[in-house]
Amino acid sequence: MSLEAIETVNKAENENKARKSAAEQEAKELIARAEKNGLALLEQTRMQAAEENKRLMHEAEDRAEKRCAAIRKDTAKACEALTGQAAARMSAAVERIVGKVVKQ
């Protein structure tokens, strides 16, 4: 093989090594950027999930408070009704008790 051919082959090999090295470096940079972007997206998703969780918890607490208020109101009405019934029957109960005590 002539000296010129050997130099051409060496030059081509050196160029290939340089391109391979540049490609490897570019691949490393792409991987690093992808990891960085992935971590940023993961953090953003976590923050959005935490905010959504807070919003949903707040809504659930509001619904629970409204439900508790409705239950308290219904219970108060039921207590008033029972108190009214008890008051209406009080005189009859007193008469019955006095009647039994007096008869003894």
Side-chain angles (χ1 to χ4, degrees):
M1 204 190 273
S2 70
L3 184 61
E4 237 176 73
I6 292 173
E7 287 176 359
T8 303
V9 169
N10 283 339
K11 183 179 176 185
E13 286 177 350
N14 289 337
E15 288 174 358
N16 284 338
K17 285 180 185 177
R19 279 188 288 212
K20 182 180 177 184
S21 178
E24 287 174 349
Q25 183 62 33
E26 185 178 348
K28 287 178 184 178
E29 290 172 3
L30 285 172
I31 290 170
R33 271 195 305 254
E35 286 178 352
K36 181 180 177 183
N37 291 341
L39 289 173
L41 182 60
L42 178 63
E43 183 62 27
Q44 179 184 3
T45 303
R46 283 182 178 159
M47 288 174 58
Q48 288 173 343
E51 289 174 8
E52 179 71 6
N53 184 45
K54 285 179 186 177
R55 185 185 66 78
L56 291 173
M57 287 297 290
H58 184 69
E59 288 177 5
E61 288 171 353
D62 287 347
R63 284 192 310 270
E65 184 60 35
K66 288 176 183 175
R67 180 73 177 126
C68 284
I71 290 171
R72 277 190 226 107
K73 185 177 178 180
D74 291 344
T75 303
K77 285 181 182 178
C79 286
E80 287 178 23
L82 288 173
T83 302
Q85 290 173 359
R89 295 179 183 171
M90 182 65 76
S91 60
V94 169
E95 286 180 25
R96 190 171 183 187
I97 292 170
V98 169
K100 286 189 178 193
V101 170
V102 172
K103 288 183 182 180
Q104 287 181 348

